[in-house]
Amino acid sequence: IAYEVSEGTVVRESDVLYTKNASTLQIGDAEKVRISLDGNAEIAVKAIGKALAVEVLKGDALIDTRGMANMSALSADTQVTADNAVISVSTQAGSSMVYVYSGSATLTRGDETETVKAGQVATIVASGMEQAAFNANSLSEAQMVKLIACGMDDTFCLTKADLEQVRADREAEK
C-alpha cells in the first residue's frame, strides 16, 4: 500500500519511503531534520536494538545524528553507525558511498570494520571498502544544498563559504 506522507506523519519500523523525480523528503524530530532524501531515493525504516536505523535502498540520504545516540544506516550489506555526526549515504547499482562531513562513522561489513572521519568518503563495492579525502568540488549541488540547510557548525570539514564559492563558480561556468 502506498500513500502520500505529509507533515506530522509518524514513521514506524518497517515503513518503506521513497521519493519521485524532483521531490524531496525530510524526516525529523522536535529538534531538527534528521534524514533528508533527494528525488528517486528509497529507504526502509528499521531498528537495531533500541537505535533507529534506515536502510538506504536507492539514491541519496543525508543523516544528521548530532545530539542523539547512535543511529545506523544500512547500505550494500554494510552497517554505518554515526554518533554525533553528519553523513550522507549514496546507494547506486553495485556500490555505495558514505561521505562524513562532521564527526565520524563506523562501517561494519562482516568481519571488516573501518572508521571514517570528517573529510573522508568511503566507497563500498563487492570487493571491499576504500577511503579517500574529498573537498567541496567533489559534492553534487543537492549535497551542498542539504548541508547548508542542516545548520553547519565548526565541527564540519567544510564551511558554508566553501560550498557557496563552489556553487558560484559552477554557476559562472554555465
Side-chain angles (χ1 to χ4, degrees), residues 9 16 38 45 60 64 66 72 79 90 92 104 110 141 174:
T9 300
V16 175
D38 288 341
V45 179
D60 298 318
D64 186 346
R66 291 177 291 174
S72 294
Q79 180 176 335
S90 176
Q92 307 304 326
S104 65
E141 177 69 14
K174 289 180 186 177

Side-chain angles (χ1 to χ4, degrees), residues 3-12 25-29:
Y3 60 93
E4 187 173 320
V5 295
S6 57
E7 188 172 339
T9 300
V10 176
V11 178
R12 293 182 175 85
L25 177 65
Q26 296 180 323
I27 302 169
D29 55 27

Side-chain angles (χ1 to χ4, degrees), residues 5-168:
V5 295
S6 57
E7 188 172 339
T9 300
V10 176
V11 178
R12 293 182 175 85
E13 185 175 0
S14 79
D15 283 350
V16 175
L17 305 167
Y18 66 91
T19 56
K20 294 182 178 182
N21 277 344
S23 65
T24 60
L25 177 65
Q26 296 180 323
I27 302 169
D29 55 27
E31 286 86 41
K32 62 176 35 179
V33 172
R34 296 295 181 178
I35 302 169
S36 296
L37 299 179
D38 288 341
N40 292 319
E42 184 175 352
I43 63 169
V45 179
K46 304 195 178 276
I48 297 177
K50 292 185 178 187
L52 173 64
V54 293
E55 182 173 6
V56 182
L57 302 168
K58 179 177 87 170
D60 298 318
L62 180 86
I63 301 170
D64 186 346
T65 67
R66 291 177 291 174
M68 62 185 295
N70 284 351
M71 180 173 167
S72 294
L74 304 167
S75 180
D77 298 326
T78 303
Q79 180 176 335
V80 181
T81 304
D83 185 20
N84 203 31
V86 178
I87 66 171
S88 65
V89 178
S90 176
T91 301
Q92 307 304 326
S95 69
S96 295
M97 297 179 81
V98 178
Y99 288 85
V100 180
Y101 307 110
S102 172
S104 65
T106 302
L107 282 62
T108 306
R109 182 179 188 183
D111 293 337
E112 187 178 5
T113 299
E114 289 193 27
T115 299
V116 184
K117 296 181 179 178
Q120 298 288 309
V121 57
T123 302
I124 305 164
V125 294
S127 60
M129 297 184 271
E130 287 185 21
Q131 287 189 50
F134 71 88
N135 59 39
N137 282 318
S138 309
L139 304 178
S140 70
E141 177 69 14
Q143 284 172 307
M144 289 188 276
V145 168
K146 286 191 290 189
L147 278 172
I148 291 168
C150 83
M152 298 173 70
D153 58 31
D154 60 0
T155 65
F156 280 67
C157 62
L158 303 166
T159 66
K160 183 177 176 182
D162 294 335
L163 300 177
E164 289 174 343
Q165 182 63 52
V166 169
R167 294 178 75 206

